Amino acid sequence: MSQFLQATVYGLLQGGLFALIAVGFSLVWGVMNVINLAHGSFVLVGAYLAFELNRRIGLDPFAAMVPVAAALFAAGYLVQRGLINLVVKAPIFITLLLTFGLNLLLVNGLILIYSGDYRSVTTGYAADGFALMSGVRVPVGRLLAAVVALLLTLALVAVMRRTRTGLAILATGMDRGAARLMGIRARHVYALTFGLAAAMAGAAGAAVSAVGTFNPADAGRFTLFSFVAAVLGGLGNMYGALIGGMVLGLVEAWGGQLLPGTLVNAVAFAVLVAVLAVRPEGIAGRAFYSSRVEV
Amino acid sequence: MMLEIDRLTAGYGRVRVLHEVSLSVDEGEIVALVGPNGAGKSTLLRAVTAMIPDRSGSVRVAGRELIGVAVEDVAAAGVAHVPEGRRLFPGLTVRDNLRLGGWVPRNADLGPVLEIFPRLADRLNQVAGSMSGGEQQMCAIARALMGRPRLLLIDELSLGLAPLVVDEILARLGGIAESGTGVLLVEQDAGAALEVADRGYVLELGRIGLSGTAAELAADPRMRSAYLGGDPPQAPVS
Ligand SMILES: Nc1ncnc2c1ncn2[C@@H]1O[C@H](COP(=O)(O)OP(=O)(O)O)[C@@H](O)[C@H]1O
Ligand SMILES: [Mg+2]
């Protein structure tokens, strides 16, 4: 029983990180109808940036979230502006191909620089923990990562709801032509959207670097989990992606108790198929194929 | 002139829909553009606001040439377009739709447009897509007005709406024009449009056929037989 509770705690904490990753992926999909297969590699780029900042100047990985997010925002903005905007109105197959290529480029670039070895960033406190009850331990690093991830996710939702820029992003996602008639610069809005998603992924990556080991091949898993969480939550629905991320964290943790490691991905897919069969509109009640964004 | 269109040719790719169309709208004037389905009325409005890129000729708004200007910059040039099908942001509230209409001038003052369409005041927090057709049309026009346009283009105001609602909305156009805004009203329902318009043009197969004051057009026998569906008032006894 305590083993199950321990897995549940881990799952929820890991789910917070998945939520932070998935929410940006879902946003990009909902606003631009782009399924960004390179999203997971942005998480890894964030993790390695945090790793470098720690190695060179001894920066704490959680403090590194700020510069890492800023760097990924800028990079994401430029990638959208210079690359994806060129094909954003093309059939989805084209954008899949483009982001697939981008993913290969980034993952192999990371392997070139860092090899495929597992890395981690050690801090004085992340491995500390406290007992929630007998046999159930909460590691400080993971708790911190989950709390920061949830706060960032909620901050993104607030930006979408309350700011002029957020409103422009939502409007452009709903009707690009009408938004342009209002004077909204769709290309700029798309680039901002992609930059925001990349920044969230990068921040998540910095947190990932602090709570465990990572190597470039993890990119695929993060993309897959983002995809599943986005569909589970209902496409473009940010609260939905949040819930989807938490569910996946739990599924992964529970599955890990019962199944050998790689089968956990299969379980994630099984959950996806099951949800689509029962509730095609997603857990949070929005069709995954309707390209509307809600917060 | 608020809007001066001179020999505008436009279409979709290689298909030409408009052939050297010329028309004008003066400051504070309501001009009706009527004609059968497929004549190119919507295409004309889209060509004015750069929603279609394939266009040549001249489109001037308050003296400024709009050919070559991108869609995003049309609002800043003082043009608001209520497109075919209204194109509200369906998942956003009425308030957010209106705020988006005021995007370019950063106009968040809902007062003036709520005065024109008081019904919207009770609907501000409602999701735009959940309102009735008439309320959505009011919201679409109000959204356009939030940009404080000098030229207002409205496509098929009456489409799908009950006649009473159409009359209610049409009755507001006079007040909008009074403030100096030029209004170009595209309508299939020529009778309703000519009742509120100062002048009108008839577009047929991408060319201007008839034009004149609203009274002239309403009395024109060709107009009556083709679009107004009736005999002229003083039909000669045969
Ligand atoms: N997006 C489009 N692509 C190609 N042809 C179009 C498009 N929209 C309209 N057309 C064609 O242009 C012509 C004029 O259409 P439209 O301007 O919508 O007419 P109206 O608004 O007067 O009913 C029609 O023959 C129509 O088939
Ligand atoms: Mg039309």
Side-chain angles (χ1 to χ4, degrees):
Chain A
M1 189 59 198
S2 76
Q3 213 178 11
F4 173 76
L5 285 177
Q6 179 72 66
T8 305
V9 167
Y10 259 91
L12 286 174
L13 296 180
Q14 183 75 355
L17 267 182
F18 286 159
L20 178 59
I21 297 168
V23 96
F25 180 89
S26 182
L27 181 70
V28 164
W29 192 356
V31 171
M32 300 189 262
N33 200 25
V34 166
I35 298 177
N36 177 21
L37 294 180
H39 193 71
S41 63
F42 292 170
V43 178
L44 267 296
V45 169
Y48 281 101
L49 278 178
F51 175 76
E52 279 297 343
L53 286 171
N54 182 261
R55 186 165 71 174
R56 287 172 194 267
I57 60 171
L59 192 63
D60 180 271
F62 286 103
M65 284 176 123
V66 177
V68 167
L72 269 116
F73 176 82
Y77 186 96
L78 292 175
V79 164
Q80 178 69 33
R81 198 83 205 217
L83 204 61
I84 302 176
N85 266 349
L86 302 178
V87 296
V88 78
K89 285 201 282 185
I92 197 157
F93 175 69
I94 303 287
T95 51
L96 276 176
L97 209 63
L98 184 67
T99 58
F100 180 72
L102 186 63
N103 182 61
L104 282 183
L105 205 74
L106 289 173
V107 169
N108 286 297
L110 289 174
I111 292 177
L112 218 63
I113 303 171
Y114 294 104
S115 81
D117 295 349
Y118 278 96
R119 312 273 171 164
S120 64
V121 179
T122 44
T123 59
Y125 55 86
D128 294 349
F130 55 88
L132 201 59
M133 56 182 84
S134 73
V136 180
R137 196 171 160 279
V138 180
V140 170
R142 285 191 171 269
L143 181 63
L144 192 57
V147 168
V148 173
L150 286 178
L151 288 179
L152 277 175
T153 306
L154 294 176
L156 181 70
V157 173
V159 164
M160 285 298 147
R161 274 211 175 150
R162 308 230 179 275
T163 68
R164 197 172 137 87
T165 303
L167 193 58
I169 290 175
L170 294 178
T172 309
M174 284 177 201
D175 189 332
R176 171 192 161 97
R180 294 179 79 201
L181 270 182
M182 308 292 116
I184 293 168
R185 300 184 181 280
R187 295 183 163 270
H188 174 61
V189 165
Y190 279 0
L192 282 178
T193 307
F194 202 80
L196 275 177
M200 308 284 275
V208 164
S209 79
V211 299
T213 59
F214 56 94
N215 80 346
D218 286 333
R221 189 171 66 109
F222 287 128
T223 303
L224 170 68
F225 278 24
S226 303
F227 182 88
V228 176
V231 174
L232 282 184
L235 171 61
N237 184 321
M238 280 174 269
Y239 283 129
L242 187 99
I243 298 166
M246 303 299 284
V247 168
L248 275 180
L250 285 174
V251 166
E252 190 193 49
W254 288 336
Q257 296 282 299
L258 310 167
L259 299 164
T262 49
L263 268 180
V264 171
N265 288 354
V267 174
F269 254 131
V271 170
L272 176 67
V273 172
V275 168
L276 286 185
V278 182
R279 268 184 79 85
E281 68 276 22
I283 299 173
R286 252 299 182 187
F288 71 96
Y289 44 77
S290 113
S291 67
R292 302 259 182 268
V293 179
E294 284 184 334
V295 284
Chain B
M1 279 293 152
M2 197 50 93
L3 170 68
E4 266 182 296
I5 298 179
D6 189 29
R7 276 166 292 161
L8 174 67
T9 293
Y12 303 89
R14 299 190 48 188
V15 183
R16 274 217 239 158
V17 173
L18 298 178
H19 310 274
E20 305 214 324
V21 171
S22 299
L23 65 76
S24 64
V25 179
D26 211 342
E27 205 170 301
E29 193 182 29
I30 302 178
V31 173
L33 180 64
V34 300
N37 202 0
K41 306 181 297 296
S42 298
T43 302
L44 184 133
L45 296 192
R46 287 187 205 121
V48 170
T49 52
M51 287 177 88
I52 49 173
D54 305 302
R55 59 206 181 122
S56 62
S58 166
V59 174
R60 289 163 162 289
V61 171
R64 180 174 168 199
E65 180 59 56
L66 286 193
I67 299 281
V69 168
V71 189
E72 288 97 333
D73 297 317
V74 166
V79 184
H81 182 174
V82 180
E84 195 168 30
R86 303 188 273 265
R87 307 273 292 265
L88 289 175
F89 302 107
L92 298 180
T93 61
V94 170
R95 177 181 278 107
D96 282 346
N97 270 277
L98 297 181
R99 277 170 67 200
L100 284 159
W103 179 262
V104 167
R106 290 179 174 261
N107 175 22
D109 179 10
L110 307 184
V113 301
L114 293 182
E115 213 162 284
I116 298 172
F117 296 111
R119 275 220 242 167
L120 293 178
D122 310 326
R123 299 266 184 266
L124 284 177
N125 296 318
Q126 192 169 331
V127 169
S130 70
M131 296 193 300
S132 73
E135 286 163 345
Q136 288 195 28
Q137 188 63 277
M138 291 177 197
C139 184
I141 296 173
R143 181 180 70 173
L145 291 175
M146 286 294 290
R148 301 202 183 106
R150 296 195 275 189
L151 176 67
L152 175 62
L153 313 173
I154 306 179
D155 201 345
E156 301 281 10
L157 185 149
S158 69
L159 199 71
L161 305 185
L164 274 179
V165 181
V166 174
D167 289 344
E168 183 185 344
I169 301 176
L170 282 175
R172 304 291 167 202
L173 295 185
I176 293 167
E178 235 159 57
S179 64
T181 305
V183 179
L184 182 57
L185 176 64
V186 161
E187 262 302 330
Q188 267 196 69
D189 183 351
L194 289 176
E195 265 175 39
V196 297
D198 300 303
R199 289 189 300 119
Y201 295 84
V202 180
L203 193 66
E204 284 170 311
L205 293 175
R207 292 187 167 81
I208 299 288
L210 297 169
S211 65
T213 65
E216 281 165 8
L217 285 178
D220 191 297
R222 289 164 293 175
M223 187 71 196
R224 295 201 71 85
S225 61
Y227 304 111
L228 298 173
D231 299 317
Q234 320 90 359
V237 185
S238 57

